[in-house]
Amino acid sequence: FPLILHISVDFMAAEAEIPGLCVDLDPSTQEFIMQQTMLRVKDPKVSLDFYSRILGMRLLKKLDFPSMKFSLYFMGYEKAEEIPKDETERSLWCFTRRGTIELTHNWGMESDPDFKGYHNGNSDPKGFGHIGITVPDVDKACDRFERLGVKFVKRPNDGKLTLHTL
């Protein structure tokens, strides 16, 4: 069953009371989608291994920008047989997928001894928190991650929110 966060609020009734929330959305936004979240990565080999082998995402599209010395790797949960073979068609298809991760690699960061890394959001000043992945069984998924060598900053049930399954 999918994992959900349990929040004790009648959301529909409370929606109109949330300051700043527009409940009557502009019709011109009806075809907008949340297409990607961009994360900067130090070493694409390490990051691609994590997102593909550990999380089970596929590489949907890779774009290289030699003149600007960076590459983009678009990762997501799509079936291999649905990924177009033609590169132009694949690019158009990639940018219509929902909820992808764009890994941005600025060339040379992986071998720069002075590079201290990107801010991870866990130290001050706090910023980025996490991406959410729905799994059938969070405990089994976490056990698998541990067997594969993933080091947790915080396990899903270690925070103030409790996780429940449907």
Side-chain angles (χ1 to χ4, degrees):
F1 292 99
L3 177 71
I4 61 165
L5 288 176
H6 176 68
I7 301 173
S8 299
V9 169
D10 181 354
F11 187 74
M12 296 305 284
E15 193 174 66
E17 305 300 317
I18 299 173
L21 180 66
C22 176
V23 292
D24 296 318
L25 301 179
D26 187 317
S28 67
T29 65
Q30 70 184 357
E31 293 184 35
F32 289 12
I33 65 169
M34 171 55 198
Q35 197 275 319
Q36 65 190 253
T37 293
M38 185 274 272
L39 303 172
R40 288 182 180 84
V41 299
K42 177 179 179 179
D43 186 340
K45 290 177 190 168
V46 172
S47 296
L48 290 169
D49 175 67
F50 177 78
Y51 285 95
S52 61
R53 185 174 62 87
I54 306 291
L55 292 183
M57 291 183 174
R58 295 190 190 287
L59 177 65
L60 306 180
K61 180 71 179 173
K62 178 183 183 229
L63 298 170
D64 293 315
F65 297 87
S67 66
M68 295 178 275
K69 298 183 178 164
F70 74 93
S71 295
L72 305 177
Y73 302 85
F74 293 90
M75 306 294 293
Y77 290 107
E78 301 292 340
K79 295 177 182 170
E81 61 273 12
E82 294 179 3
I83 301 173
K85 303 293 183 237
D86 176 78
E87 285 304 313
T88 301
E89 190 179 323
R90 186 174 185 160
S91 293
L92 294 170
W93 172 86
C94 179
F95 292 111
T96 64
R97 306 299 89 199
R98 295 178 184 267
T100 66
I101 301 287
E102 173 194 327
L103 304 176
T104 298
H105 173 240
N106 293 303
W107 297 357
M109 295 294 107
E110 69 281 10
S111 57
D112 182 350
D114 296 324
F115 182 67
K116 304 293 186 225
Y118 296 110
H119 193 285
N120 64 14
N122 293 311
S123 57
D124 289 326
K126 297 215 187 249
F128 175 81
H130 66 274
I131 58 171
I133 306 286
T134 299
V135 298
D137 185 314
V138 71
D139 294 318
K140 285 182 182 176
C142 288
D143 289 345
R144 178 178 173 272
F145 297 157
E146 283 184 330
R147 285 193 311 275
L148 293 171
V150 173
K151 293 181 180 25
F152 286 84
V153 172
K154 181 175 76 171
R155 292 182 64 91
N157 286 320
D158 290 346
K160 294 177 184 175
L161 294 176
T162 58
L163 301 174
H164 296 272
T165 54
L166 293 174

